[in-house]
Amino acid sequence: MRIRILMAGWGAPRAAGSSGRRSHTLKRSSVAFAIVLILCIATLLASPTLAADAPTGVTNIFKPLSTPAQAIHEVSLLVLAICAGIFLVVGGLLAYTVVRFRWRPGDDGREPPQIYGSNQLEFAWTVIPIVTVFVLFLATARTIYDVQGAVPPADALNVTVVGHQWWWEIRYPELGIVTANELHVPVSPPGKARPTFLTLESADVVHSFWVPQLAGKTDVIPNRENRMWIDPTQPGTYVGNCAEYCGMQHAHMRLRVIVHPAGDFEKWAAAQREPPVDDPQTRAGRDVFFATACINCHSIGETKARGTFGPDLTHLMSRETLGAGTVPNTPEKLRAWVRDPQTIKEGCNMPNMQLTENELNQIVAYLLTLK
Ligand code: CUA
């Protein structure tokens, strides 16, 4: 009853004279509201279908293919549904009120009745939000507990990921492998689960590890170890990126998770443990490499190149991209990168080494043997 009085009050006319302009503004805002509503619904409908059986090649939170991502996906749908319900109720009431109680010719121009202290209304707008927040809290807390409380099985793969400005160092302490920007893991199908547990560290600033189809974001913080895990159910390449602004090339700090079919991961690991090939044809390039500052930042197998500031290059050519997903790893791009990385990834920590054309050719020929 009181609600009706209150609403009726909203329909009273305002100062005469401005009414024409007001109804015009009102029409325009109703149109804008309708457009926003249609856009929201279209976005929801256009989002990819929920049935998923392969990695999408683009970051996508709606096609989870790993238990933590699935758990987060489910709680997100609940949150989206509740928020959509609230939006429809509030937006619907607003639209109804705007249309039903708009100014009409012949309104008497009186101030609407002012209502204060409605117990029912105040009770409703206190209790409904509290219950809503409580439901969201319980659902979220349960998901966090399920994901973070998981105990690693004995055969879990352990990987340490170190965030750098602006690339990812990936270490397999039990396998003696160090690589960069591409995390290789075995597939973990239901029934034969072989999850990968990640220890996340940072060498400089705060980053955030995020591969949307596999798990939620986890911050990568200096002087702290964070843990997370993934169990991808389908082989393929999953893409992700740093999700915390970490400086100039934050956008070029991309990640690939390459999930190998059963048995294939071991082959990859064996190939990565192979020492670099010593090709007599490219020895000149190797000598130039070892004689320049390259070795202060990069490591190559058991050679005297032992730098850890930049990516390990032992199997450089087995990777798909250069500069953490900035360009594809082709001989042309590699040459352009070594000539002057700043033209490809401005601000990155690798300087232009001012190599002569001959040195450049020799070093690139050597790097191309690091398969
Ligand atoms: Cu690292 Cu953003």
Side-chain angles (χ1 to χ4, degrees):
M1 180 62 186
R2 281 191 182 168
I3 293 177
R4 222 183 308 149
I5 295 168
L6 202 71
M7 282 184 154
W10 294 346
R14 285 84 184 172
S18 64
S19 55
R21 200 171 63 234
R22 264 173 201 281
S23 81
H24 220 79
T25 317
L26 208 63
K27 256 185 217 158
R28 247 186 291 157
S29 54
S30 306
V31 170
F33 177 78
I35 291 173
V36 169
L37 189 67
I38 290 166
L39 280 179
C40 289
I41 294 170
T43 312
L44 272 180
L45 292 180
S47 59
T49 51
L50 303 182
D53 50 10
T56 52
V58 289
T59 50
N60 186 348
I61 58 167
F62 291 104
K63 285 190 178 180
L65 284 171
S66 170
T67 307
Q70 181 67 38
I72 293 167
H73 180 244
E74 279 162 18
V75 85
S76 319
L77 290 186
L78 176 73
V79 174
L80 273 176
I82 290 177
C83 292
I86 294 171
F87 175 78
L88 288 177
V89 170
V90 174
L93 278 175
L94 192 64
Y96 171 78
T97 313
V98 164
V99 174
R100 170 78 179 77
F101 301 106
R102 69 186 185 278
W103 180 86
R104 289 187 176 87
D107 277 353
D108 57 13
R110 269 182 307 148
E111 176 89 349
Q114 304 294 305
I115 313 290
Y116 299 101
S118 161
N119 285 339
Q120 290 102 314
L121 269 179
E122 285 171 15
F123 189 73
W125 73 50
T126 307
V127 170
I128 295 172
I130 288 177
V131 171
T132 309
V133 170
F134 191 64
V135 168
L136 292 175
F137 167 77
L138 285 185
T140 312
R142 194 187 140 160
T143 304
I144 292 174
Y145 181 79
D146 284 351
V147 172
Q148 297 196 341
V151 180
D155 66 343
L157 177 68
N158 289 298
V159 182
T160 302
V161 177
V162 186
H164 292 254
Q165 283 177 315
W166 292 277
W167 59 284
W168 301 95
E169 178 184 343
I170 293 164
R171 314 184 76 96
Y172 297 76
E174 292 144 10
L175 303 175
I177 296 170
V178 183
T179 182
N181 305 322
E182 291 176 9
L183 170 62
H184 289 251
V185 300
V187 71
S188 183
K192 279 193 225 151
R194 194 181 168 200
T196 301
F197 278 73
L198 305 174
T199 303
L200 303 172
E201 298 169 12
S202 170
D204 36 48
V205 299
V206 179
H207 305 274
S208 179
F209 184 97
W210 192 34
V211 184
Q213 283 192 277
L214 298 181
K217 298 170 186 171
T218 305
D219 277 356
V220 180
I221 298 167
N223 299 317
R224 189 188 155 87
E225 280 186 3
N226 275 344
R227 302 271 292 158
M228 66 178 290
W229 61 284
I230 53 174
D231 61 344
T233 53
Q234 300 294 330
T237 300
Y238 298 73
V239 287
N241 45 269
C242 179
E244 180 75 45
Y245 182 68
C246 55
M248 191 170 172
Q249 287 290 352
H250 154 72
H252 284 146
M253 194 169 164
R254 300 196 190 133
L255 261 169
R256 272 156 202 271
V257 178
I258 292 134
V259 178
H260 292 267
D264 232 45
F265 174 75
E266 281 66 29
K267 281 184 215 153
W268 172 83
Q272 291 288 309
R273 278 197 299 266
E274 291 287 315
V277 221
D278 184 11
D279 181 353
Q281 305 238 304
T282 57
R283 234 170 242 165
R286 193 192 63 176
D287 293 344
V288 179
F289 187 90
F290 287 175
T292 59
C294 305
I295 59 170
N296 294 340
C297 294
H298 295 287
S299 290
I300 296 182
E302 297 295 304
T303 68
K304 65 176 175 179
R306 289 292 174 87
T308 53
F309 195 63
D312 186 295
L313 302 179
T314 313
H315 295 283
L316 170 69
M317 296 316 293
S318 70
R319 298 182 207 142
E320 291 172 27
T321 69
L322 292 172
T326 308
V327 287
N329 187 8
T330 62
E332 298 73 39
K333 296 287 182 197
L334 179 65
R335 194 171 192 284
W337 178 273
V338 178
R339 179 200 288 280
D340 185 6
Q342 302 299 320
T343 58
I344 294 174
K345 194 168 177 177
E346 192 183 357
C348 76
N349 287 319
M350 177 167 162
N352 179 342
M353 300 302 291
Q354 312 290 344
L355 299 166
T356 64
E357 209 54 18
N358 193 31
E359 288 170 335
L360 179 64
N361 290 338
Q362 290 173 327
I363 286 192
V364 171
Y366 170 58
L367 294 177
L368 287 173
T369 65
L370 303 176
K371 297 208 167 89

